Amino acid sequence: MTQTDDRHTTVDLSAYPISEATAHRLRTMTIGHVIDGVVVGPGSSGTLPVYDPSTGRAVASMAVAGPSEVEAAIASARQAFEDGRWQFLDPLDKERRLRELSRLIAVHAEELAELDVIDGGILRVYSGFIAKFAVDGVDYYSGWPTKLQGSIPATPGDIVVRATREPVGVVGLIMPWNGPSAVVVAVAAALAAGNSVILKPAEQTPITAVRLAELALEAGIPPGVFNVLQGTGDVAGAGLVAHPDVDTIAFTGSVDTGRRIQAAAAARVKRVSLELGGKSAHIVFEDADLDAAADATAAAVWGNSGQVCTAGSRVLVQRSVHDRLLERIIDRSKGLTIGNAFDPTAQIGPLISADQLDRVAGYVTIGRDEGAELVLGGSRIGDAGYFHEPTIFAGVDNSMRIAREEIFGPVMSVIPFDSEDDAVRVANDSEFGLAAGVWTQDVSRAHRVPRRLKAGTVWVNTYQAVYPSVPYGGVKQSGHGRNLGAESLDDFLQTKSVWTRIGAEP
Ligand code: NAI
Ligand code: MG
């Protein structure tokens, strides 16, 4: 990639349908690290361009961490943890400051949403949803500091044991690009548990992380408690994983990178939690409301252009309703407007990068070569930006690569099945286990099938619903640990048993 020394925007922002405030912010802000409460610009490791996926043009440039920035961010988080400026703050005070962060994110939601559209290529409508999710998630975790508690295990009478729950220490959060502002929810969970954090955003979407850390400072979260380290996976990401002063890693992203992180963390027996990919089965039974199922199965692969870890990319349809459902899915998919993520009429936006577009196009070729029937789409669009048509393969066999590998793009594989047993067997025949969907109006089946599915989330007669209190994560190679809910806190806490001998009972 080309290096550039221009810290500010390289295209004319007046052409962008963004507020004057956002344009001004983008012109003047440094897309840098946030270390010990200070935004730090590019150092000796230089910069990378930040691309707008809707146009393929560079809109800004970002700082890239080298080893010295990695050290500085970790030292900042370590110091902040050890001196107790956050860890030992009155829990009510922690709650107030986290709640203030949520309030400030709400105040700046429009700006954050606009910035997510610029570097993430996220449809403007969906970026609003992401910003709202950030507000709700931080609000949810802001209630936790006063509710954390340990236990007093049963012991012989001459002993008292307090099992306390303590923060792990310094948390490295390594995050993907498909919902940039939403990463603050994981930050809030780690902070609610009393830790210090180093957020490593994806190098494709560096912008809102800086704003979120600034808002945290404004909310009264002390400097050094929420740091941001910008840069590549190889240097910034791997640097956090390898460093002895980072106590745990929470990662969201691809299986390959997750595997590499878990292996590297093993060298120090470091805890990791991993939210990885999926090849989620979206199962439609013959007794389903077919209109609702068609709406949902289409939305579950076209939403965010398929760049969602829970994309329902394998649609399993009972043979008796196969043709009717497929026709309805095609109907809902063929007229969709594909365009610039800022265009309010666009229903499908760009993919994140030229690499991702190549990857998706590569899978379309693979699907054709494997003998699947291309019934919709199949092509890239235009020569500017990274657009791909919604693409449907029918007659897919579950052994094909387009049924087994995460594509992370608008590509649906439709697989017919005969019986309920059949559906469960095919759904579970995957290395992944992130999510599944079930469409049925039979109340027994609606309870029976989810029990048999190997997935961290099963949605029945709905899909991709999320709520901050509901745990979210995978089984099998979709990872371990949970985001959201009380369970997410478990990844950021450790138990200490304190024994006190009080002498024999009288
Ligand atoms: P990635 O998993 O490599 O990147 C995610 C994050 O990990 C980024 O912040 C990156 O800088 C960091 N990273 C990369 N290599 C690292 C390493 N060795 N050590 C520590 N951190 C590292 O995903 P990428 O390259 O952006 O996309 C590749 C594919 O991954 C996509 O095509 C898609 O299929 C899948 N993906 C899945 C996601 C999900 O939520 N399931 C999210 C993003 C990508
Ligand atoms: Mg990668």
Side-chain angles (χ1 to χ4, degrees), residues 109-430:
E110 288 292 295
E111 178 197 329
L112 291 167
E114 290 181 340
L115 293 172
D116 279 352
V117 183
I118 290 177
D119 64 4
I122 288 161
L123 279 189
R124 182 62 185 84
V125 190
Y126 186 61
S127 73
F129 165 79
I130 290 171
K132 181 180 182 310
F133 181 73
V135 173
D136 292 348
V138 176
D139 215 13
Y140 169 78
Y141 283 111
S142 74
W144 269 105
T146 57
K147 281 94 183 168
L148 297 173
Q149 51 189 26
S151 62
I152 301 178
T155 50
D158 60 340
I159 296 288
V160 171
V161 174
R162 288 177 294 130
T164 59
R165 305 204 76 199
E166 301 186 340
V168 175
V170 173
V171 174
L173 292 174
I174 302 177
M175 291 288 138
W177 35 261
N178 54 342
S181 286
V183 302
V184 74
V185 180
V187 175
L191 295 184
N195 299 282
S196 295
V197 166
I198 302 156
L199 166 64
K200 208 302 269 176
E203 52 271 46
Q204 295 87 345
T205 52
I207 304 177
T208 48
V210 183
R211 291 294 296 136
L212 292 164
E214 287 175 341
L215 294 176
L217 289 165
E218 200 179 325
I221 293 166
V225 172
F226 174 4
N227 304 277
V228 176
L229 188 64
Q230 303 279 9
T232 63
D234 286 349
V235 176
L240 294 176
V241 177
H243 204 285
D245 269 339
V246 177
D247 298 291
T248 188
I249 296 287
F251 169 75
T252 302
S254 65
V255 178
D256 282 348
T257 300
R259 200 178 280 126
R260 206 168 299 137
I261 286 174
Q262 184 160 339
R268 296 191 184 274
V269 199
K270 190 177 289 190
R271 287 171 64 182
V272 295
S273 59
L274 305 172
E275 203 258 273
L276 308 178
K279 194 73 197 180
S280 299
H282 207 161
I283 310 170
V284 182
F285 287 100
E286 60 191 358
D287 56 32
D289 173 342
L290 290 189
D291 279 317
D295 286 343
T297 47
V301 199
W302 312 147
N304 213 25
S305 298
Q307 303 171 118
V308 181
C309 43
T310 53
S313 51
R314 284 189 299 155
V315 176
L316 276 47
V317 192
Q318 197 148 20
R319 214 176 293 272
S320 50
V321 294
H322 176 275
D323 293 356
R324 274 192 287 153
L325 184 80
L326 184 58
E327 190 184 311
R328 287 178 210 198
I329 295 175
I330 292 172
D331 254 14
R332 285 156 171 75
S333 309
K334 68 184 175 206
L336 296 176
T337 308
I338 303 165
N340 189 301
F342 274 111
D343 180 345
T345 65
Q347 293 162 298
I348 299 210
L351 294 164
I352 186 69
S353 62
D355 282 353
Q356 192 63 22
L357 179 58
D358 287 344
R359 178 188 163 96
V360 170
Y363 273 107
V364 173
T365 305
I366 290 168
R368 285 191 162 123
D369 292 349
E370 286 179 309
E373 185 193 350
L374 182 68
V375 295
L376 188 75
S379 306
R380 328 173 169 232
I381 296 176
D383 44 19
Y386 317 125
F387 297 92
H388 198 282
E389 291 180 305
T391 297
I392 303 178
F393 283 107
V396 174
D397 186 278
N398 200 48
S399 64
M400 294 178 181
R401 286 183 64 192
I402 57 166
R404 306 205 73 79
E405 298 173 19
E406 182 176 56
I407 298 174
F408 229 59
V411 181
M412 180 191 293
S413 296
V414 181
I415 305 174
F417 70 84
D418 292 303
S419 65
E420 189 176 301
D421 279 349
D422 214 13
V424 169
R425 185 183 49 73
V426 174
N428 287 341
D429 177 15
S430 172

Side-chain angles (χ1 to χ4, degrees), residues 457-475:
T457 296
V458 182
W459 285 290
V460 181
N461 295 338
T462 181
Y463 201 80
Q464 280 173 340
V466 284
Y467 195 73
S469 62
V470 182
Y472 179 94
V475 302

